[in-house]
Amino acid sequence: MRALLVEDDLRVASALSSALRRRGHLVIPATTAAEALRAGPVDLVLLDLNLPDRDGLEVCRELRRRDADVCIIAVTARGEEHDRVTGLRAGADDYVVKPFSMAELQARIEAVMRRTARARRAEGVLEVGPIRIDVTARQAWVDDREVSLTRKEFELLMALARQAGTVVPRERLQLEIWQTTFAAGHTLDVHVAALRSKLDDASLVQTVRGVGYRLRVT
């Protein structure tokens, strides 16, 4: 996932960038409003509202005007209620007040991405991280590379994408795809392995031991 990090405090920016990269995100740094507005298309914006050259709220409005679907999280020291309300009304999807833990920020990123995935699903296209699925055409892409899937592999990917970010129990997958749980366990594992191979990133489909599988949202 491409994340635009707009933060003028170099110490904070460095810590956030390192943490985001460890979680697999591609980070595009910006220390000013001008740099942020020159950045190309991204999936996520982490936006400090206290920028040296322009009010962050104006930047938020401009980014939202340019891309109605981009996920924007305000990351700022402005913690009063009216600040949070103003930030959300300016177009932010969520609002995180400094100081915060990386665990909280990651949870908020995942929640925002899930909401975005549900909204896009209603239009017949599911987008989860680098994966894009055309439900009607039964086609799937990873980073704009079309992936050739069998019927069962596609159904497995769809079942996971509908619940992206949450664990889907093995029994539910077996019933939904094979209409039985009898002797379907090994078959499910084989199809998961094949799907991981075709997605070219095994970490996209995560195993939750003893429970089921989860499609990574970021």
Side-chain angles (χ1 to χ4, degrees):
M1 184 176 66
R2 290 170 57 86
L4 174 61
L5 175 58
V6 189
E7 173 61 69
D8 67 328
D9 185 322
L10 298 182
R11 182 183 59 83
V12 174
S14 176
L16 276 176
S17 292
S18 297
L20 290 166
R21 289 191 177 103
R22 284 197 300 271
R23 287 163 172 78
H25 305 314
L26 174 64
V27 180
I28 297 94
T31 58
T32 66
E35 290 178 359
L37 294 174
R38 283 198 300 267
V42 295
D43 305 297
L44 170 72
V45 180
L46 298 178
L47 176 62
D48 181 15
L49 299 183
N50 297 314
L51 298 174
D53 56 336
R54 190 172 175 183
D55 191 321
L57 291 172
E58 295 179 6
V59 177
C60 185
R61 293 187 187 98
E62 178 63 19
L63 291 172
R64 177 61 67 211
R65 185 190 67 79
R66 294 181 181 184
D67 187 346
D69 295 325
V70 68
C71 298
I72 301 175
I73 299 179
V75 181
T76 178
R78 302 181 188 178
E80 298 297 326
E81 181 181 8
H82 71 272
D83 292 318
R84 295 195 298 271
V85 170
T86 302
L88 294 170
R89 286 177 174 169
D93 296 290
D94 204 346
Y95 196 103
V96 183
V97 179
K98 299 175 182 177
F100 55 85
S101 69
M102 192 59 211
E104 178 190 1
L105 180 60
Q106 181 64 27
R108 289 178 180 273
I109 290 172
E110 292 173 1
V112 167
M113 297 304 291
R114 281 198 299 272
R115 292 197 297 269
T116 301
R118 284 196 293 269
R120 289 174 178 168
R121 183 188 312 149
E123 300 173 1
V125 175
L126 283 75
E127 292 191 14
V128 182
I131 300 172
R132 181 164 57 92
I133 306 169
D134 187 321
V135 179
T136 305
R138 296 181 70 83
Q139 292 175 292
W141 297 263
V142 177
D143 290 328
D144 296 326
R145 173 182 63 85
E146 186 169 2
V147 181
S148 178
L149 300 175
T150 66
R151 182 168 63 89
K152 293 298 186 185
E153 289 166 357
F154 185 87
E155 291 173 0
L156 174 59
L157 180 59
M158 282 283 298
L160 294 170
R162 290 193 188 100
Q163 303 293 324
T166 61
V167 181
V168 184
R170 295 174 59 88
E171 292 79 9
R172 184 187 302 172
L173 291 169
Q174 292 163 6
L175 283 170
E176 182 172 342
I177 299 168
W178 288 277
Q179 290 75 53
T180 181
T181 59
F182 180 72
H186 178 66
T187 301
L188 172 60
D189 295 337
V190 169
H191 280 76
V192 168
L195 180 60
R196 283 172 169 157
S197 176
K198 291 185 177 181
L199 294 178
D200 205 28
D201 184 352
S203 69
L204 288 171
V205 180
Q206 301 172 329
T207 300
V208 180
R209 196 169 301 279
V211 183
Y213 296 95
R214 173 174 56 215
L215 189 63
R216 200 184 76 207
V217 297
T218 57

